[in-house]
Amino acid sequence: MASTGSGLRIPGDDNLQSMLVGTIMRKIKSRTWKKQRYFKLQDDCMTIWYKSKKAGNSHSTFSVSDVEAIREGHQSEVLLSIADEFPADRCFTLVFRGRRGNLDLVAESAEEAQSWIRGIRKLMENLENMGQRERLDQWIGDWFRKADKNNDGRMNFREVRDLLKMMNVDMNEHHARCLFTMADRSQSGTLEDDEFVLFYKMLTQREDVLRVFQQFSLDGQTLSQSDLEDFLRDGQLEGDNVQQHAETLIQRYEPSDTAKLLNAMTFDGFLMYLGSSEGSIFNPRWREIFQDMSQPLCHYFISSSHNTYLMEDQLRGQSSVEGYIRALSRGCRCVEVDCWDGANGEPIVYHGHTFTSRILFKDVVTAVGNYAFKVSEYPVILSMENHCSVEQQRVMARHLNQILGNKLLKSTLDGKAAVGLPSPEDLKGKILLKAKKLGGLEESFSGTADDSQTGEVSDDDEAEMEEDNVHRQSSRYRGKKKSKQRLSKELSDCVVYCKSVHFSNFKHSHIHSKFYEVASFTESKARRHLRDTGGEFVHHNCRQLTRVYPSGFRTDSSNFNPQEMWNAGCQIVALNFQTAGEGMDLNDGMFRQNGGCGYVLKPGFMREAEKTFDPETPQKRDGYQPVALTIQVISGQQLPKVNIKEDSIVDPLVRVEIYGVPLDQNRQETRYIDNNGFNPVWYDTLRFTVHAPELAMVRFVVEDYDKTSKNDFVGQYALPLRCMQQGYRHIHLLSKDGTSIPPSSLFVHIRITELE
């Protein structure tokens, strides 16, 4: 039987032995805040504990599973600010998942720094390679340590009762004592190691999965290969090659060698399969790059960030290069740079006319150069708002060229006048500048563009100026002719396939616009075009890139629903990546497919100019094929506790939301279950008709029902309808930040059928 001890301990690893002993390091928050802390790896080899020498008993902890990356040296703004004081070989940064701040540390020596860097990386690697059974052991061990208040390695009944509350279980005392007594095989009145494992297994018994297993098992004990094939065909609604798939599943997930020899699957194996990525709702085949990446850029939805430099709101928030690192690390392929004249001839980046802090343009370019292609090799677009003088524009051009070097695209790919946009495949490893340009791409080859030309203010600026006017409520800004902006030839020459232009109307654009011109719209303008001329908007986006960004009224850096803009085929739908919620859930869900590379191929009817599609009337398009989506929400597992009150237990309900064309927008809810966040059971069926399944997104939201106030958020998961697997599936829930919260999940049955 598994032990509650860690599955991560690596005997004889010197780095881990050193971490277990503990080390004094400096925690750095700024140039002036540098304090010594004692850091120590706990015996579970999963938790890192640290405390101040002076803080008495108070301490902090974090789990290795919370760490997303380790950066060595001066690779954060904080550590760069003290680079003159501490050498790079003693410095490192722990980057956490979600929106939690970094932890910047300075060790006493380079050797100690390396010991922690190598040790944590080893633990992260082991965690990544853990099997399901080891992960389960880890969770069991975590619960044991939380419950064992007096740290004596055993649990009395009072500790078990407290544990049940922590685990979101509302169980009467009699039932709890029965389970305790059954698990206490030594009859010592306490649970030790293996006894606690038994208690946990009895507590987490999956009656819902057992019911499915017994439905398909002839003898009720195992699934023969024939039984498993029936399950794959009738339960999982798989049509192809079920015989080979059944064989593979038995070999991959069955823990019993005896059952394997008999080509059979036990209940444990069945549970492991359903809990794996193959048993999840997201089809693992679509997690890899599976789409054609050789089509023009305008044929793809592109993961895009707005005000990338901001870490908070856009009035007083902090600007940071960390915003760029985080966005690029999430697969974002279009980042925004808002440039203004700075001191000492150095351009700065910040949200103009606000109290947001400022960062150097060259530091932003350096961060983009370093992180652009760590997650995806496909092109990155730098969307620039240029408010700089000609002199500082020349400095910007110099930084772009010197820092990015060959990564910066400076000319058409073959050096000749182009006739259409290149593909993501053609542009691998390249950074494209989207900004104003003197003349067109054609003039670049004829040499007619010169330094004396002026460019008009960009459409982004125009829209934001209009919104600023409304903010200021000042008539003197209105009706004034907008001034022309002088543009340096050096900066203009950095723009190739993404020239920012003012948009007049679709008729004008159809006759006059060039394939390399990019129009930008605020969300309100885009909605107006979508409402009035949706079909023309889709047609426009067949041949050109369009950027849509949040309204300037969103001073809290909130997001709009990106689905509206994807319905029109808009490629660069820019969101505030720093703000969690529905908008970013959908964005994460959309770009989770295709290898998380930041590019998703639009449906065929949005790429072909000769086809007509209006999101308002999807039933009128060629090839219209609606589907019925039926979702049975069966159960939930170990939902996180949302209320910090000790006696509070979650009353969960599940809401399924459909996002797509207006006709498809829909949401339905299950009942709420009283006082059970541990293993609630619903068996509620929700039914939807989807008219444009190629565009539809499905979002599952779990909430804690409250009859007197707004429900509390518990967890969520969003994905494209076309990436859903049918049959009995687990949905591994994510936090509001989009980070995983294992072992929290939903168990559902999905059926998608074409309607006649």
Side-chain angles (χ1 to χ4, degrees):
M1 179 63 74
S3 152
T4 55
S6 167
L8 276 184
R9 180 69 65 85
I10 303 133
D13 188 297
D14 291 342
N15 297 318
L16 291 194
Q17 296 307 323
S18 165
M19 289 166 68
L20 286 161
V21 171
T23 312
I24 289 175
M25 291 189 278
R26 280 184 176 85
K27 180 181 173 184
I28 315 289
K29 285 189 178 178
S30 68
R31 259 194 92 78
T32 54
W33 199 102
K34 303 175 283 245
K35 303 205 172 166
Q36 287 194 326
R37 295 286 182 267
Y38 180 62
F39 286 82
K40 184 179 185 301
L41 177 65
Q42 300 291 77
D43 288 341
D44 64 352
C45 281
M46 268 290 284
T47 309
I48 291 170
W49 172 100
Y50 62 97
K51 67 177 284 190
S52 161
K53 288 163 128 183
K54 300 174 186 172
N57 291 325
S58 73
H59 67 273
S60 301
T61 61
F62 62 87
S63 171
V64 173
S65 61
D66 296 333
V67 180
E68 186 168 69
I70 304 181
R71 300 186 201 142
E72 296 185 52
H74 301 138
Q75 285 206 62
S76 75
E77 279 162 299
V78 170
L79 291 179
L80 278 168
S81 74
I82 50 103
D84 55 342
E85 194 177 343
F86 299 106
D89 60 5
R90 286 171 55 194
C91 300
F92 62 99
T93 301
L94 298 183
V95 182
F96 293 99
R97 299 181 191 281
R99 291 167 177 81
R100 179 175 171 178
N102 297 344
L103 181 59
D104 292 299
L105 299 171
V106 178
E108 293 296 296
S109 68
E111 293 71 31
E112 259 180 15
Q114 275 304 311
S115 185
W116 277 82
I117 290 164
R118 284 195 294 261
I120 293 176
R121 281 188 178 146
K122 182 76 177 172
L123 292 173
M124 288 168 70
E125 182 189 326
N126 271 53
L127 192 59
E128 193 70 29
N129 296 330
M130 260 190 180
Q132 279 177 266
R133 191 157 287 246
E134 291 167 304
R135 283 181 194 273
L136 182 63
D137 289 349
Q138 191 65 53
W139 293 326
I140 294 172
D142 285 348
W143 283 120
F144 188 89
R145 279 179 293 279
K146 282 178 190 170
D148 184 15
K149 295 279 174 60
N150 58 7
N151 295 317
D152 64 354
R154 47 183 78 216
M155 264 180 24
N156 58 39
F157 182 67
R158 185 177 51 77
E159 288 173 326
V160 166
R161 246 186 6 217
D162 292 343
L163 169 72
L164 292 173
K165 283 178 188 163
M166 279 194 279
M167 294 174 95
N168 250 331
V169 182
D170 183 25
M171 186 182 286
N172 69 50
E173 190 155 329
H174 175 70
H175 189 191
R177 196 171 281 284
C178 283
L179 283 184
F180 183 90
T181 306
M182 284 162 67
D184 181 18
R185 289 182 167 170
S186 63
Q187 298 183 347
S188 63
T190 59
L191 301 184
E192 299 173 46
D193 216 24
D194 284 355
E195 292 176 333
F196 179 70
V197 173
L198 181 60
F199 174 80
Y200 185 93
K201 283 204 153 190
M202 287 191 288
L203 198 61
T204 55
Q205 201 165 339
R206 293 291 302 274
E207 297 293 339
D208 51 344
V209 177
L210 187 61
R211 185 165 152 180
V212 177
F213 180 82
Q214 289 179 337
Q215 183 186 335
F216 287 91
S217 167
L218 274 178
D219 62 7
Q221 300 300 309
T222 59
L223 291 174
S224 66
Q225 183 168 324
S226 173
D227 292 342
L228 187 53
E229 286 171 22
D230 288 343
F231 170 70
L232 294 176
R233 195 179 298 108
D234 303 332
Q236 304 299 67
L237 306 174
E238 292 180 16
D240 304 327
N241 219 350
V242 291
Q243 182 181 345
Q244 190 180 340
H245 193 198
E247 288 172 8
T248 305
L249 292 179
I250 290 168
Q251 291 308 310
R252 189 171 292 158
Y253 297 108
E254 178 48 54
S256 161
D257 291 334
T258 308
K260 270 185 189 172
L261 286 172
L262 296 168
N263 276 345
M265 184 176 266
T266 61
F267 179 65
D268 277 353
F270 188 64
L271 202 52
M272 287 183 76
Y273 154 58
L274 285 177
S276 73
S277 61
E278 281 187 89
S280 82
I281 194 169
F282 198 107
N283 192 325
R285 282 181 294 178
W286 305 152
R287 284 194 183 276
E288 309 304 318
I289 292 176
F290 69 95
Q291 294 180 330
D292 176 6
M293 300 302 287
S294 61
Q295 299 204 26
L297 274 183
C298 55
H299 286 183
Y300 298 84
F301 296 122
I302 303 170
S303 181
S304 306
S305 158
H306 175 60
N307 288 349
T308 315
Y309 45 87
L310 288 182
M311 300 295 282
E312 300 160 42
D313 69 64
Q314 56 193 55
L315 287 183
R316 298 175 181 276
Q318 178 197 356
S319 301
S320 169
V321 297
E322 194 62 42
Y324 292 90
I325 295 169
R326 291 192 173 203
L328 292 166
S329 299
R330 288 177 76 168
C332 178
R333 297 290 86 190
C334 179
V335 295
E336 186 184 12
V337 191
D338 201 346
C339 308
W340 300 78
D341 280 356
N344 307 317
E346 279 293 344
I348 55 173
V349 174
Y350 84 110
H351 198 58
H353 308 305
T354 65
F355 296 105
T356 59
S357 60
R358 294 140 196 239
I359 49 179
L360 292 175
F361 174 75
K362 65 180 179 184
D363 289 345
V364 169
V365 177
T366 300
V368 171
N370 287 339
Y371 287 90
F373 305 111
K374 284 192 183 291
V375 167
S376 168
E377 55 191 343
Y378 291 102
V380 166
I381 299 168
L382 273 182
S383 178
M384 183 184 290
E385 266 193 44
N386 172 15
H387 307 275
C388 292
S389 61
V390 169
E391 293 72 30
Q392 293 212 7
Q393 288 176 38
R394 292 194 177 110
V395 176
M396 287 160 65
R398 189 169 73 246
H399 287 324
L400 286 166
N401 281 288
Q402 288 179 355
I403 296 169
L404 298 180
N406 291 335
K407 290 176 186 171
L408 181 67
L409 189 77
K410 289 293 298 292
S411 66
T412 55
L413 289 177
D414 55 6
K416 299 174 190 168
V419 293
L421 286 171
S423 70
E425 191 67 35
D426 296 331
L427 293 166
K428 270 183 179 176
K430 290 295 180 188
I431 295 171
L432 284 66
L433 185 65
K434 182 187 89 64
K436 298 297 287 184
K437 184 174 178 66
L438 299 173
L441 205 50
E442 301 80 9
E443 284 92 324
S444 303
F445 293 93
S446 61
T448 55
D450 69 61
D451 207 18
S452 65
Q453 285 181 276
T454 58
E456 203 178 8
V457 68
S458 77
D459 191 46
D460 304 67
D461 305 340
E462 203 170 276
E464 294 207 0
M465 282 165 71
E466 285 169 9
E467 289 177 347
D468 282 346
N469 293 343
V470 180
H471 284 320
R472 293 168 186 152
Q473 293 295 301
S474 169
S475 58
R476 64 198 165 99
Y477 287 102
R478 297 194 185 104
K480 247 188 179 182
K481 192 175 178 185
K482 305 218 168 37
S483 61
K484 300 227 174 189
Q485 179 195 25
R486 281 183 61 79
L487 201 59
S488 92
K489 183 174 186 304
E490 294 89 337
L491 189 60
S492 170
D493 286 348
C494 294
V495 179
V496 184
Y497 292 116
C498 298
K499 176 186 175 180
S500 295
V501 296
H502 173 77
F503 179 83
S504 298
N505 56 61
F506 290 121
K507 186 177 179 183
H508 178 273
S509 171
H510 186 63
I511 298 167
H512 300 288
S513 68
K514 306 287 197 299
F515 67 87
Y516 53 80
E517 293 178 340
V518 185
S520 289
F521 303 98
T522 60
E523 57 177 291
S524 50
K525 275 191 179 179
R527 269 192 209 103
R528 197 157 59 243
H529 289 308
L530 193 52
R531 187 179 61 242
D532 299 342
T533 49
E536 288 182 67
F537 206 172
V538 173
H539 192 264
H540 172 86
N541 289 328
C542 280
R543 54 190 291 272
Q544 284 179 262
L545 288 170
T546 294
R547 178 173 176 266
V548 181
Y549 59 96
S551 157
F553 293 116
R554 293 182 181 270
T555 53
D556 59 351
S557 291
S558 59
N559 283 312
F560 58 86
N561 172 3
Q563 184 69 49
E564 291 180 274
M565 311 310 165
W566 293 331
N567 289 343
C570 299
Q571 303 87 350
I572 303 173
V573 180
L575 298 181
N576 290 298
F577 268 52
Q578 75 273 25
T579 307
E582 174 197 276
M584 278 308 298
D585 291 350
L586 293 174
N587 199 73
D588 288 345
M590 166 66 90
F591 293 102
R592 195 168 279 125
Q593 63 182 310
N594 208 31
C597 75
Y599 286 84
V600 169
L601 190 63
K602 295 196 284 188
F605 56 79
M606 302 185 101
R607 306 195 304 264
E608 297 162 31
E610 64 276 8
K611 291 201 172 174
T612 56
F613 172 70
D614 187 332
E616 292 289 334
T617 54
Q619 63 274 38
K620 290 185 180 176
R621 77 168 173 89
D622 292 343
Y624 166 66
Q625 178 56 73
V627 300
L629 170 64
T630 306
I631 299 173
Q632 185 183 44
V633 180
I634 299 171
S635 64
Q637 292 75 47
Q638 300 181 64
L639 304 176
K641 201 174 169 81
V642 292
N643 195 317
I644 52 170
K645 286 182 191 164
E646 209 170 281
D647 292 333
S648 172
I649 306 284
V650 171
D651 300 331
L653 63 81
V654 179
R655 185 170 61 253
V656 178
E657 304 169 345
I658 309 294
Y659 296 82
V661 297
L663 206 55
D664 290 340
Q665 299 281 0
N666 202 346
R667 54 181 58 195
Q668 294 180 35
E669 290 179 355
T670 64
R671 299 161 292 138
Y672 70 89
I673 303 294
D674 267 325
N675 285 341
N676 188 352
F678 189 71
N679 54 0
V681 175
W682 289 277
Y683 284 103
D684 284 0
T685 300
L686 313 176
R687 293 183 174 85
F688 304 90
T689 298
V690 184
H691 298 271
E694 303 89 341
L695 279 170
M697 297 285 298
V698 184
R699 181 172 178 248
F700 294 83
V701 185
V702 183
E703 288 183 345
D704 179 12
Y705 173 77
D706 192 322
K707 64 182 176 207
T708 58
S709 62
K710 191 180 173 196
N711 293 349
D712 286 324
F713 172 89
V714 174
Q716 58 82 21
Y717 190 83
L719 77 165
L721 175 61
R722 62 183 175 179
C723 292
M724 286 171 82
Q725 295 201 92
Q726 296 192 82
Y728 291 97
R729 303 292 171 188
H730 277 102
I731 300 168
H732 300 284
L733 293 172
L734 305 174
S735 69
K736 193 171 266 186
D737 269 346
T739 55
S740 62
I741 40 175
S744 301
S745 64
L746 296 175
F747 187 48
V748 298
H749 186 271
I750 307 288
R751 185 182 292 271
I752 303 168
T753 49
E754 291 186 351
L755 294 171
E756 293 182 6

